[in-house]
Amino acid sequence: MTISSRTRTAVTVLAAACLSATALVLSPGVAGAASTLGAAAAQSGRYFGAAISTSHLGESAYVNTWAAEFNGVTPENEMKWDTVEPNRNQFNFGPGDQIAGQGRSRGMKIRGHTLVWYQQLPGWVSGLDANNLRSAMLNHISQAAGHWKGQLIAWDVVNEAFEENGTRRQSVFQQKLGDGYIEDAFRAARTADPNAKLCYNDYNTDGVNAKSTGIYNMVRDFKSRGVPIDCVGFQSHLGSNSNLGSYQANLQRFADLGVDVQITELDVGGSGSGQANVYRQVAQACMAVSRCTGITVWGVTDKYSWRSGDTPLLFDGNYGKKQAYTAVLDVLNGGAPNPGGGGTVRAVASNRCLDVPGSATAAGTALQIWDCHTGTNQQWTRASTGELTVYSGDGKRCLDTASGGTAAGTAAVIASCTGGTGQKWTFTGSGTITNAQSGLCLDVTGAATANGTKVIIWTCNGGSNQQWAAAA
Ligand code: 9MR
């Protein structure tokens, strides 16, 4: 990893002032790093979208945040059957048009959601006999997908048609039409809008499990028989404790069937570093799967989330960027978090905060500062204020270096934070650089620093020992 000369200059300037600093404001130090989610995702040809509701389009902060940060949109409810065709053959495209129009005028990628779903289904549909239900479904697809033909990158053609155990959900469609309704729907959608990617979309498919395997088997069957399916949507309604151990492998096994994968309704209940960590893992998984073409979060602000009590989105109720926001942005910017609080490991003479032996990390190596998380792979990141906060998870503290910056297994000297203004690290012993989730980590054991203590990461001032630095 290299850093730009601009960054290096900034670090040098800061280094001169480091001993009088009380708090260093940390900011991205990667040359060319994008400052919005959409722009960051676009660097790898992906989109980063948000579900949008017409109810809030009159609120300027809502619209401005959406427009500034995202390059994709999904109407949260406006293209669903109960809105689009509330009575048989009476179509109401207005709300969906409103969102599609705004998205289009901003050059956004628009996802259609959803053509066939057992919820938000008007009552008249459920009362139909099998023949009428089939023709009503095909007509609905033809009219809706036909209306937005050419405007959408993708349609969730069928939504949530599987049970948790991997069998077909016993919806009205299933009960009256049998398994075949799903492929009938995909064929009708292809006819109506040949250029939209046709997706199957579901939740609790966030790893290799019975449900995702049921869907996997259907997609494999569809591909083998030429049923037109192009992608699978993973809703990803998650929590801070979600186990994403097989999340990426699951995306990859679908991609290997020859379909795109998309994260379609991402939200993560929780807050702080726990929430940020799950967001980070999802973003990293998508970035690691070449056929993962984009991520959509299920709303802009916690204020209007369908799970408002869970504060699951990237912007808080006042449109402030959350820790999770920075985590995602960093991943989108590099496939791994950028060195937001990082700088350069350099030789220093004294006043070190965190001292790395000369052989541990080469001078000039760029660093990435991470969150510290519970669990075995704790990491640091900058707090939203730009400072770092000591976080105590299972009693360990750590500072994470950039992937490739320092070899795993390298011994490092670790110091504790003494507190007060201009806090410094003092030696407590040695630690070992270990593999973290996406990088390398300096683990600190012991309880030398209280949870919540602000830690200043100092710039360095040359000499034979190296020191961590914060870039401006
Ligand atoms: O966010 C949507 C909420 O406003 C609706 O009331 C709800 C109706 O069931 O649907 C929500 O969106 C769902 C999406 O369409 C499909 N996956 C689950 C989402 C959350 O329930």
Side-chain angles (χ1 to χ4, degrees), residues 238-286:
L238 301 169
S240 296
N241 295 326
S242 294
N243 178 358
L244 300 186
S246 60
Y247 191 91
Q248 183 181 320
N250 192 46
L251 297 184
Q252 189 63 59
R253 71 169 173 158
F254 278 90
D256 291 344
L257 290 176
V259 291
D260 287 348
V261 294
Q262 301 176 345
I263 314 305
T264 52
E265 304 181 16
L266 178 62
D267 52 16
V268 180
S271 62
S273 59
Q275 179 181 55
N277 188 34
V278 172
Y279 265 107
R280 176 186 296 118
Q281 289 176 68
V282 171
Q284 285 173 336
C286 183

Side-chain angles (χ1 to χ4, degrees), residues 161-169 200 202 204 209-218:
F162 278 74
E163 303 280 7
E164 300 303 293
N165 66 6
T167 63
R168 307 291 169 115
R169 183 188 292 280
Y200 175 81
D202 218 324
N204 284 353
N209 58 33
K211 187 174 192 176
S212 65
T213 298
I215 296 163
Y216 176 86
N217 289 336
M218 177 188 76

Side-chain angles (χ1 to χ4, degrees), residues 76-77 80 113 117 119-120 159-160 235 265 298 306:
E76 187 170 354
N77 291 298
K80 292 173 179 174
H113 174 82
W117 187 25
Q119 285 187 30
Q120 287 174 286
N159 195 44
E160 301 175 9
Q235 295 184 11
E265 304 181 16
W298 207 238
W306 72 292

